[in-house]
Amino acid sequence: MQVRVAARVGLVLLVGLAYVLASHWLMTQTEASAWNVVGVLSPMLVIVGLGAWRSGHNGVALCVVLALAALCVQAMLDIRVTSHALYLLQHAGINFFLALFFGSTLRPGRTSIITSVAQRVHGKDLPPAHFAYTRQVTKAWTIFFLVIVAISLVLFFGFSFDTWAIFANLVTPIATGAMFIGEYSLRYRLHPEFARSTVADAINAYMNNGKPAAPSKVPQ
């Protein structure tokens, strides 16, 4: 079981790396084309759209379909986008759609995305404190993604491209990793009674289409 989980996590990482490398190649090594925008942004939009549809967030899924249609229209009209603007669209677009997706799950009557993931890992019968905490974590991630978008836009339009690139390519992934680690540490500091689990557990449970996975044992 652990080998299978590790294989799935490894597959996700490899696909992510392949997407980053392919995007960079399209932006820097191929002839400028309006279809480059479609090639760079479509995989991200498809993933977000499928995740939204699978989770029952049809409004977000519809927005993704409209965005994909708009991308195809701009390509058919041969509207060119500069490589710098394409980088901005990719970086700000990913974080904006993540904020939209996470935020849409916070509407009244909805189950927040982090709560949903926790239910898939630990089962439906979560204690009330876990429901409240996972909803707050969803809010925190929504705000995080919006802040990333805001900083990205300010740096892109107000500073040099090199400054923006450092933020997009170095600071953003480091900040995202720090967010994961910080939340994980805070979770068990505030709620030591919560069952221990890892990111691998969450990925495994999600890919099992909601079937709860046995949480990994983490040393106390």
Side-chain angles (χ1 to χ4, degrees), residues 20-55:
V20 171
L21 294 176
S23 297
H24 184 74
W25 178 76
L26 282 172
M27 292 178 192
T28 61
Q29 301 299 322
T30 62
E31 184 179 353
S33 167
W35 286 102
N36 283 12
V37 181
V38 180
V40 169
L41 298 182
S42 290
M44 174 269 296
L45 289 173
V46 169
I47 291 173
V48 172
L50 287 176
W53 176 76
R54 184 173 179 174
S55 302

PDB file of all heavy atoms in Angstrom, residues 20-55:
ATOM      1  N   VAL A  20       5.702  22.094 -16.162  1.00  0.00           N
ATOM      2  CA  VAL A  20       6.551  23.279 -16.024  1.00  0.00           C
ATOM      3  C   VAL A  20       7.571  23.342 -17.161  1.00  0.00           C
ATOM      4  O   VAL A  20       7.779  24.400 -17.783  1.00  0.00           O
ATOM      5  CB  VAL A  20       7.255  23.279 -14.662  1.00  0.00           C
ATOM      6  CG1 VAL A  20       8.313  24.383 -14.602  1.00  0.00           C
ATOM      7  CG2 VAL A  20       6.245  23.472 -13.541  1.00  0.00           C
ATOM      8  N   LEU A  21       8.232  22.213 -17.444  1.00  0.00           N
ATOM      9  CA  LEU A  21       9.247  22.187 -18.501  1.00  0.00           C
ATOM     10  C   LEU A  21       8.624  22.427 -19.877  1.00  0.00           C
ATOM     11  O   LEU A  21       9.182  23.165 -20.697  1.00  0.00           O
ATOM     12  CB  LEU A  21       9.981  20.844 -18.480  1.00  0.00           C
ATOM     13  CG  LEU A  21      10.840  20.568 -17.233  1.00  0.00           C
ATOM     14  CD1 LEU A  21      11.435  19.168 -17.310  1.00  0.00           C
ATOM     15  CD2 LEU A  21      11.941  21.615 -17.099  1.00  0.00           C
ATOM     16  N   ALA A  22       7.464  21.817 -20.122  1.00  0.00           N
ATOM     17  CA  ALA A  22       6.810  22.009 -21.411  1.00  0.00           C
ATOM     18  C   ALA A  22       6.363  23.456 -21.590  1.00  0.00           C
ATOM     19  O   ALA A  22       6.493  24.032 -22.674  1.00  0.00           O
ATOM     20  CB  ALA A  22       5.609  21.061 -21.521  1.00  0.00           C
ATOM     21  N   SER A  23       5.861  24.055 -20.513  1.00  0.00           N
ATOM     22  CA  SER A  23       5.436  25.450 -20.577  1.00  0.00           C
ATOM     23  C   SER A  23       6.617  26.357 -20.881  1.00  0.00           C
ATOM     24  O   SER A  23       6.531  27.265 -21.720  1.00  0.00           O
ATOM     25  CB  SER A  23       4.782  25.865 -19.254  1.00  0.00           C
ATOM     26  OG  SER A  23       3.616  25.114 -19.002  1.00  0.00           O
ATOM     27  N   HIS A  24       7.728  26.111 -20.206  1.00  0.00           N
ATOM     28  CA  HIS A  24       8.924  26.927 -20.426  1.00  0.00           C
ATOM     29  C   HIS A  24       9.407  26.774 -21.867  1.00  0.00           C
ATOM     30  O   HIS A  24       9.790  27.764 -22.515  1.00  0.00           O
ATOM     31  CB  HIS A  24      10.020  26.508 -19.453  1.00  0.00           C
ATOM     32  CG  HIS A  24      11.258  27.354 -19.552  1.00  0.00           C
ATOM     33  ND1 HIS A  24      11.307  28.647 -19.062  1.00  0.00           N
ATOM     34  CD2 HIS A  24      12.466  27.108 -20.100  1.00  0.00           C
ATOM     35  CE1 HIS A  24      12.512  29.150 -19.296  1.00  0.00           C
ATOM     36  NE2 HIS A  24      13.221  28.234 -19.923  1.00  0.00           N
ATOM     37  N   TRP A  25       9.369  25.556 -22.392  1.00  0.00           N
ATOM     38  CA  TRP A  25       9.795  25.322 -23.770  1.00  0.00           C
ATOM     39  C   TRP A  25       8.889  26.047 -24.752  1.00  0.00           C
ATOM     40  O   TRP A  25       9.368  26.675 -25.701  1.00  0.00           O
ATOM     41  CB  TRP A  25       9.790  23.824 -24.047  1.00  0.00           C
ATOM     42  CG  TRP A  25      10.173  23.481 -25.454  1.00  0.00           C
ATOM     43  CD1 TRP A  25      11.439  23.484 -26.001  1.00  0.00           C
ATOM     44  CD2 TRP A  25       9.281  23.096 -26.504  1.00  0.00           C
ATOM     45  NE1 TRP A  25      11.383  23.128 -27.326  1.00  0.00           N
ATOM     46  CE2 TRP A  25      10.081  22.879 -27.663  1.00  0.00           C
ATOM     47  CE3 TRP A  25       7.909  22.899 -26.583  1.00  0.00           C
ATOM     48  CZ2 TRP A  25       9.524  22.485 -28.872  1.00  0.00           C
ATOM     49  CZ3 TRP A  25       7.349  22.504 -27.794  1.00  0.00           C
ATOM     50  CH2 TRP A  25       8.156  22.305 -28.924  1.00  0.00           C
ATOM     51  N   LEU A  26       7.582  25.979 -24.541  1.00  0.00           N
ATOM     52  CA  LEU A  26       6.646  26.666 -25.426  1.00  0.00           C
ATOM     53  C   LEU A  26       6.868  28.171 -25.421  1.00  0.00           C
ATOM     54  O   LEU A  26       6.754  28.844 -26.445  1.00  0.00           O
ATOM     55  CB  LEU A  26       5.204  26.357 -25.014  1.00  0.00           C
ATOM     56  CG  LEU A  26       4.637  25.003 -25.434  1.00  0.00           C
ATOM     57  CD1 LEU A  26       3.277  24.776 -24.779  1.00  0.00           C
ATOM     58  CD2 LEU A  26       4.524  24.901 -26.946  1.00  0.00           C
ATOM     59  N   MET A  27       7.197  28.703 -24.234  1.00  0.00           N
ATOM     60  CA  MET A  27       7.352  30.152 -24.100  1.00  0.00           C
ATOM     61  C   MET A  27       8.662  30.656 -24.685  1.00  0.00           C
ATOM     62  O   MET A  27       8.737  31.790 -25.155  1.00  0.00           O
ATOM     63  CB  MET A  27       7.281  30.551 -22.625  1.00  0.00           C
ATOM     64  CG  MET A  27       5.934  30.367 -21.977  1.00  0.00           C
ATOM     65  SD  MET A  27       6.015  30.839 -20.223  1.00  0.00           S
ATOM     66  CE  MET A  27       4.458  30.196 -19.643  1.00  0.00           C
ATOM     67  N   THR A  28       9.693  29.846 -24.621  1.00  0.00           N
ATOM     68  CA  THR A  28      11.026  30.353 -24.947  1.00  0.00           C
ATOM     69  C   THR A  28      11.662  29.757 -26.197  1.00  0.00           C
ATOM     70  O   THR A  28      12.529  30.388 -26.800  1.00  0.00           O
ATOM     71  CB  THR A  28      11.980  30.121 -23.764  1.00  0.00           C
ATOM     72  OG1 THR A  28      12.068  28.700 -23.504  1.00  0.00           O
ATOM     73  CG2 THR A  28      11.485  30.824 -22.506  1.00  0.00           C
ATOM     74  N   GLN A  29      11.253  28.561 -26.613  1.00  0.00           N
ATOM     75  CA  GLN A  29      11.972  27.871 -27.676  1.00  0.00           C
ATOM     76  C   GLN A  29      11.167  27.688 -28.956  1.00  0.00           C
ATOM     77  O   GLN A  29      11.728  27.277 -29.973  1.00  0.00           O
ATOM     78  CB  GLN A  29      12.432  26.485 -27.185  1.00  0.00           C
ATOM     79  CG  GLN A  29      13.331  26.531 -25.964  1.00  0.00           C
ATOM     80  CD  GLN A  29      14.621  27.291 -26.223  1.00  0.00           C
ATOM     81  OE1 GLN A  29      15.202  27.199 -27.307  1.00  0.00           O
ATOM     82  NE2 GLN A  29      15.075  28.040 -25.227  1.00  0.00           N
ATOM     83  N   THR A  30       9.887  27.934 -28.923  1.00  0.00           N
ATOM     84  CA  THR A  30       9.082  27.736 -30.127  1.00  0.00           C
ATOM     85  C   THR A  30       8.724  29.072 -30.754  1.00  0.00           C
ATOM     86  O   THR A  30       8.799  30.118 -30.121  1.00  0.00           O
ATOM     87  CB  THR A  30       7.783  26.972 -29.794  1.00  0.00           C
ATOM     88  OG1 THR A  30       7.011  27.748 -28.872  1.00  0.00           O
ATOM     89  CG2 THR A  30       8.095  25.629 -29.177  1.00  0.00           C
ATOM     90  N   GLU A  31       8.338  29.009 -32.021  1.00  0.00           N
ATOM     91  CA  GLU A  31       7.941  30.233 -32.726  1.00  0.00           C
ATOM     92  C   GLU A  31       6.674  30.800 -32.095  1.00  0.00           C
ATOM     93  O   GLU A  31       5.758  30.066 -31.726  1.00  0.00           O
ATOM     94  CB  GLU A  31       7.689  29.904 -34.194  1.00  0.00           C
ATOM     95  CG  GLU A  31       7.355  31.120 -35.043  1.00  0.00           C
ATOM     96  CD  GLU A  31       7.149  30.737 -36.492  1.00  0.00           C
ATOM     97  OE1 GLU A  31       7.397  29.566 -36.836  1.00  0.00           O
ATOM     98  OE2 GLU A  31       6.729  31.619 -37.271  1.00  0.00           O
ATOM     99  N   ALA A  32       6.658  32.120 -31.961  1.00  0.00           N
ATOM    100  CA  ALA A  32       5.508  32.778 -31.333  1.00  0.00           C
ATOM    101  C   ALA A  32       4.221  32.400 -32.056  1.00  0.00           C
ATOM    102  O   ALA A  32       4.131  32.493 -33.278  1.00  0.00           O
ATOM    103  CB  ALA A  32       5.694  34.292 -31.345  1.00  0.00           C
ATOM    104  N   SER A  33       3.244  31.959 -31.299  1.00  0.00           N
ATOM    105  CA  SER A  33       1.971  31.551 -31.866  1.00  0.00           C
ATOM    106  C   SER A  33       0.867  31.794 -30.859  1.00  0.00           C
ATOM    107  O   SER A  33       1.075  31.639 -29.643  1.00  0.00           O
ATOM    108  CB  SER A  33       2.005  30.066 -32.247  1.00  0.00           C
ATOM    109  OG  SER A  33       0.704  29.581 -32.520  1.00  0.00           O
ATOM    110  N   ALA A  34      -0.309  32.169 -31.358  1.00  0.00           N
ATOM    111  CA  ALA A  34      -1.446  32.374 -30.468  1.00  0.00           C
ATOM    112  C   ALA A  34      -1.857  31.069 -29.801  1.00  0.00           C
ATOM    113  O   ALA A  34      -2.421  31.068 -28.704  1.00  0.00           O
ATOM    114  CB  ALA A  34      -2.620  32.947 -31.261  1.00  0.00           C
ATOM    115  N   TRP A  35      -1.533  29.934 -30.440  1.00  0.00           N
ATOM    116  CA  TRP A  35      -1.881  28.641 -29.853  1.00  0.00           C
ATOM    117  C   TRP A  35      -0.962  28.279 -28.694  1.00  0.00           C
ATOM    118  O   TRP A  35      -1.260  27.359 -27.924  1.00  0.00           O
ATOM    119  CB  TRP A  35      -1.844  27.552 -30.917  1.00  0.00           C
ATOM    120  CG  TRP A  35      -3.026  27.635 -31.844  1.00  0.00           C
ATOM    121  CD1 TRP A  35      -3.047  28.148 -33.113  1.00  0.00           C
ATOM    122  CD2 TRP A  35      -4.361  27.216 -31.559  1.00  0.00           C
ATOM    123  NE1 TRP A  35      -4.314  28.078 -33.647  1.00  0.00           N
ATOM    124  CE2 TRP A  35      -5.146  27.505 -32.718  1.00  0.00           C
ATOM    125  CE3 TRP A  35      -4.982  26.629 -30.455  1.00  0.00           C
ATOM    126  CZ2 TRP A  35      -6.506  27.222 -32.779  1.00  0.00           C
ATOM    127  CZ3 TRP A  35      -6.333  26.348 -30.525  1.00  0.00           C
ATOM    128  CH2 TRP A  35      -7.090  26.635 -31.667  1.00  0.00           C
ATOM    129  N   ASN A  36       0.186  28.967 -28.566  1.00  0.00           N
ATOM    130  CA  ASN A  36       1.058  28.731 -27.410  1.00  0.00           C
ATOM    131  C   ASN A  36       0.327  29.015 -26.105  1.00  0.00           C
ATOM    132  O   ASN A  36       0.526  28.337 -25.096  1.00  0.00           O
ATOM    133  CB  ASN A  36       2.313  29.608 -27.492  1.00  0.00           C
ATOM    134  CG  ASN A  36       3.321  29.069 -28.479  1.00  0.00           C
ATOM    135  OD1 ASN A  36       3.008  28.177 -29.273  1.00  0.00           O
ATOM    136  ND2 ASN A  36       4.526  29.605 -28.450  1.00  0.00           N
ATOM    137  N   VAL A  37      -0.502  30.051 -26.123  1.00  0.00           N
ATOM    138  CA  VAL A  37      -1.263  30.407 -24.920  1.00  0.00           C
ATOM    139  C   VAL A  37      -2.178  29.251 -24.527  1.00  0.00           C
ATOM    140  O   VAL A  37      -2.296  28.894 -23.361  1.00  0.00           O
ATOM    141  CB  VAL A  37      -2.095  31.681 -25.157  1.00  0.00           C
ATOM    142  CG1 VAL A  37      -2.853  32.064 -23.896  1.00  0.00           C
ATOM    143  CG2 VAL A  37      -1.200  32.824 -25.616  1.00  0.00           C
ATOM    144  N   VAL A  38      -2.815  28.649 -25.539  1.00  0.00           N
ATOM    145  CA  VAL A  38      -3.691  27.506 -25.273  1.00  0.00           C
ATOM    146  C   VAL A  38      -2.883  26.347 -24.701  1.00  0.00           C
ATOM    147  O   VAL A  38      -3.290  25.698 -23.738  1.00  0.00           O
ATOM    148  CB  VAL A  38      -4.424  27.072 -26.562  1.00  0.00           C
ATOM    149  CG1 VAL A  38      -5.330  25.878 -26.293  1.00  0.00           C
ATOM    150  CG2 VAL A  38      -5.228  28.231 -27.136  1.00  0.00           C
ATOM    151  N   GLY A  39      -1.720  26.093 -25.294  1.00  0.00           N
ATOM    152  CA  GLY A  39      -0.888  24.986 -24.838  1.00  0.00           C
ATOM    153  C   GLY A  39      -0.377  25.160 -23.418  1.00  0.00           C
ATOM    154  O   GLY A  39      -0.261  24.195 -22.664  1.00  0.00           O
ATOM    155  N   VAL A  40      -0.087  26.395 -23.043  1.00  0.00           N
ATOM    156  CA  VAL A  40       0.456  26.660 -21.713  1.00  0.00           C
ATOM    157  C   VAL A  40      -0.633  26.652 -20.641  1.00  0.00           C
ATOM    158  O   VAL A  40      -0.467  26.075 -19.562  1.00  0.00           O
ATOM    159  CB  VAL A  40       1.212  28.009 -21.695  1.00  0.00           C
ATOM    160  CG1 VAL A  40       1.551  28.425 -20.268  1.00  0.00           C
ATOM    161  CG2 VAL A  40       2.494  27.891 -22.513  1.00  0.00           C
ATOM    162  N   LEU A  41      -1.761  27.269 -20.940  1.00  0.00           N
ATOM    163  CA  LEU A  41      -2.790  27.452 -19.912  1.00  0.00           C
ATOM    164  C   LEU A  41      -3.824  26.332 -19.837  1.00  0.00           C
ATOM    165  O   LEU A  41      -4.403  26.093 -18.774  1.00  0.00           O
ATOM    166  CB  LEU A  41      -3.509  28.785 -20.142  1.00  0.00           C
ATOM    167  CG  LEU A  41      -2.653  30.042 -20.044  1.00  0.00           C
ATOM    168  CD1 LEU A  41      -3.515  31.283 -20.244  1.00  0.00           C
ATOM    169  CD2 LEU A  41      -1.938  30.125 -18.710  1.00  0.00           C
ATOM    170  N   SER A  42      -4.061  25.633 -20.931  1.00  0.00           N
ATOM    171  CA  SER A  42      -5.125  24.628 -20.948  1.00  0.00           C
ATOM    172  C   SER A  42      -4.925  23.498 -19.939  1.00  0.00           C
ATOM    173  O   SER A  42      -5.894  23.116 -19.251  1.00  0.00           O
ATOM    174  CB  SER A  42      -5.277  24.048 -22.351  1.00  0.00           C
ATOM    175  OG  SER A  42      -5.821  25.008 -23.220  1.00  0.00           O
ATOM    176  N   PRO A  43      -3.729  22.905 -19.810  1.00  0.00           N
ATOM    177  CA  PRO A  43      -3.590  21.806 -18.843  1.00  0.00           C
ATOM    178  C   PRO A  43      -3.966  22.234 -17.423  1.00  0.00           C
ATOM    179  O   PRO A  43      -4.653  21.489 -16.700  1.00  0.00           O
ATOM    180  CB  PRO A  43      -2.099  21.447 -18.939  1.00  0.00           C
ATOM    181  CG  PRO A  43      -1.716  21.843 -20.315  1.00  0.00           C
ATOM    182  CD  PRO A  43      -2.491  23.096 -20.589  1.00  0.00           C
ATOM    183  N   MET A  44      -3.534  23.425 -17.008  1.00  0.00           N
ATOM    184  CA  MET A  44      -3.872  23.918 -15.686  1.00  0.00           C
ATOM    185  C   MET A  44      -5.376  24.095 -15.541  1.00  0.00           C
ATOM    186  O   MET A  44      -5.978  23.700 -14.532  1.00  0.00           O
ATOM    187  CB  MET A  44      -3.142  25.237 -15.426  1.00  0.00           C
ATOM    188  CG  MET A  44      -3.510  25.945 -14.131  1.00  0.00           C
ATOM    189  SD  MET A  44      -4.892  27.128 -14.315  1.00  0.00           S
ATOM    190  CE  MET A  44      -4.196  28.324 -15.440  1.00  0.00           C
ATOM    191  N   LEU A  45      -6.017  24.669 -16.571  1.00  0.00           N
ATOM    192  CA  LEU A  45      -7.454  24.899 -16.511  1.00  0.00           C
ATOM    193  C   LEU A  45      -8.228  23.584 -16.487  1.00  0.00           C
ATOM    194  O   LEU A  45      -9.228  23.454 -15.774  1.00  0.00           O
ATOM    195  CB  LEU A  45      -7.893  25.737 -17.706  1.00  0.00           C
ATOM    196  CG  LEU A  45      -7.454  27.204 -17.702  1.00  0.00           C
ATOM    197  CD1 LEU A  45      -7.816  27.876 -19.018  1.00  0.00           C
ATOM    198  CD2 LEU A  45      -8.082  27.954 -16.536  1.00  0.00           C
ATOM    199  N   VAL A  46      -7.774  22.613 -17.257  1.00  0.00           N
ATOM    200  CA  VAL A  46      -8.454  21.311 -17.282  1.00  0.00           C
ATOM    201  C   VAL A  46      -8.393  20.644 -15.919  1.00  0.00           C
ATOM    202  O   VAL A  46      -9.393  20.088 -15.432  1.00  0.00           O
ATOM    203  CB  VAL A  46      -7.834  20.400 -18.362  1.00  0.00           C
ATOM    204  CG1 VAL A  46      -8.345  18.966 -18.209  1.00  0.00           C
ATOM    205  CG2 VAL A  46      -8.162  20.922 -19.755  1.00  0.00           C
ATOM    206  N   ILE A  47      -7.237  20.699 -15.269  1.00  0.00           N
ATOM    207  CA  ILE A  47      -7.089  20.098 -13.942  1.00  0.00           C
ATOM    208  C   ILE A  47      -8.016  20.773 -12.943  1.00  0.00           C
ATOM    209  O   ILE A  47      -8.714  20.117 -12.155  1.00  0.00           O
ATOM    210  CB  ILE A  47      -5.621  20.184 -13.476  1.00  0.00           C
ATOM    211  CG1 ILE A  47      -4.757  19.252 -14.322  1.00  0.00           C
ATOM    212  CG2 ILE A  47      -5.504  19.814 -11.994  1.00  0.00           C
ATOM    213  CD1 ILE A  47      -3.275  19.397 -14.063  1.00  0.00           C
ATOM    214  N   VAL A  48      -8.030  22.109 -12.965  1.00  0.00           N
ATOM    215  CA  VAL A  48      -8.907  22.846 -12.050  1.00  0.00           C
ATOM    216  C   VAL A  48     -10.374  22.527 -12.350  1.00  0.00           C
ATOM    217  O   VAL A  48     -11.175  22.299 -11.443  1.00  0.00           O
ATOM    218  CB  VAL A  48      -8.649  24.364 -12.155  1.00  0.00           C
ATOM    219  CG1 VAL A  48      -9.694  25.142 -11.353  1.00  0.00           C
ATOM    220  CG2 VAL A  48      -7.253  24.699 -11.653  1.00  0.00           C
ATOM    221  N   GLY A  49     -10.721  22.503 -13.644  1.00  0.00           N
ATOM    222  CA  GLY A  49     -12.104  22.230 -14.018  1.00  0.00           C
ATOM    223  C   GLY A  49     -12.560  20.844 -13.612  1.00  0.00           C
ATOM    224  O   GLY A  49     -13.670  20.671 -13.090  1.00  0.00           O
ATOM    225  N   LEU A  50     -11.716  19.846 -13.842  1.00  0.00           N
ATOM    226  CA  LEU A  50     -12.067  18.477 -13.457  1.00  0.00           C
ATOM    227  C   LEU A  50     -12.209  18.343 -11.946  1.00  0.00           C
ATOM    228  O   LEU A  50     -13.111  17.664 -11.443  1.00  0.00           O
ATOM    229  CB  LEU A  50     -11.018  17.497 -13.985  1.00  0.00           C
ATOM    230  CG  LEU A  50     -11.025  17.236 -15.490  1.00  0.00           C
ATOM    231  CD1 LEU A  50      -9.870  16.329 -15.879  1.00  0.00           C
ATOM    232  CD2 LEU A  50     -12.353  16.627 -15.931  1.00  0.00           C
ATOM    233  N   GLY A  51     -11.292  19.010 -11.220  1.00  0.00           N
ATOM    234  CA  GLY A  51     -11.380  18.969  -9.765  1.00  0.00           C
ATOM    235  C   GLY A  51     -12.657  19.618  -9.257  1.00  0.00           C
ATOM    236  O   GLY A  51     -13.310  19.102  -8.342  1.00  0.00           O
ATOM    237  N   ALA A  52     -13.036  20.739  -9.873  1.00  0.00           N
ATOM    238  CA  ALA A  52     -14.259  21.428  -9.471  1.00  0.00           C
ATOM    239  C   ALA A  52     -15.488  20.584  -9.793  1.00  0.00           C
ATOM    240  O   ALA A  52     -16.402  20.431  -8.971  1.00  0.00           O
ATOM    241  CB  ALA A  52     -14.343  22.780 -10.173  1.00  0.00           C
ATOM    242  N   TRP A  53     -15.523  20.014 -11.001  1.00  0.00           N
ATOM    243  CA  TRP A  53     -16.664  19.196 -11.398  1.00  0.00           C
ATOM    244  C   TRP A  53     -16.775  17.952 -10.535  1.00  0.00           C
ATOM    245  O   TRP A  53     -17.861  17.571 -10.104  1.00  0.00           O
ATOM    246  CB  TRP A  53     -16.510  18.817 -12.869  1.00  0.00           C
ATOM    247  CG  TRP A  53     -17.595  17.875 -13.348  1.00  0.00           C
ATOM    248  CD1 TRP A  53     -18.882  18.178 -13.643  1.00  0.00           C
ATOM    249  CD2 TRP A  53     -17.443  16.469 -13.585  1.00  0.00           C
ATOM    250  NE1 TRP A  53     -19.558  17.044 -14.048  1.00  0.00           N
ATOM    251  CE2 TRP A  53     -18.699  15.989 -14.017  1.00  0.00           C
ATOM    252  CE3 TRP A  53     -16.373  15.583 -13.472  1.00  0.00           C
ATOM    253  CZ2 TRP A  53     -18.910  14.645 -14.344  1.00  0.00           C
ATOM    254  CZ3 TRP A  53     -16.576  14.248 -13.790  1.00  0.00           C
ATOM    255  CH2 TRP A  53     -17.840  13.805 -14.215  1.00  0.00           C
ATOM    256  N   ARG A  54     -15.633  17.340 -10.251  1.00  0.00           N
ATOM    257  CA  ARG A  54     -15.626  16.121  -9.443  1.00  0.00           C
ATOM    258  C   ARG A  54     -16.101  16.397  -8.028  1.00  0.00           C
ATOM    259  O   ARG A  54     -16.704  15.542  -7.387  1.00  0.00           O
ATOM    260  CB  ARG A  54     -14.208  15.548  -9.423  1.00  0.00           C
ATOM    261  CG  ARG A  54     -14.059  14.220  -8.707  1.00  0.00           C
ATOM    262  CD  ARG A  54     -12.667  13.683  -8.899  1.00  0.00           C
ATOM    263  NE  ARG A  54     -12.476  12.429  -8.204  1.00  0.00           N
ATOM    264  CZ  ARG A  54     -11.389  11.692  -8.292  1.00  0.00           C
ATOM    265  NH1 ARG A  54     -10.404  12.089  -9.085  1.00  0.00           N
ATOM    266  NH2 ARG A  54     -11.270  10.561  -7.617  1.00  0.00           N
ATOM    267  N   SER A  55     -15.840  17.616  -7.537  1.00  0.00           N
ATOM    268  CA  SER A  55     -16.235  17.980  -6.171  1.00  0.00           C
ATOM    269  C   SER A  55     -17.637  18.584  -6.114  1.00  0.00           C
ATOM    270  O   SER A  55     -18.099  18.974  -5.050  1.00  0.00           O
ATOM    271  CB  SER A  55     -15.226  18.980  -5.586  1.00  0.00           C
ATOM    272  OG  SER A  55     -13.919  18.429  -5.582  1.00  0.00           O
TER     273      SER A  55
END
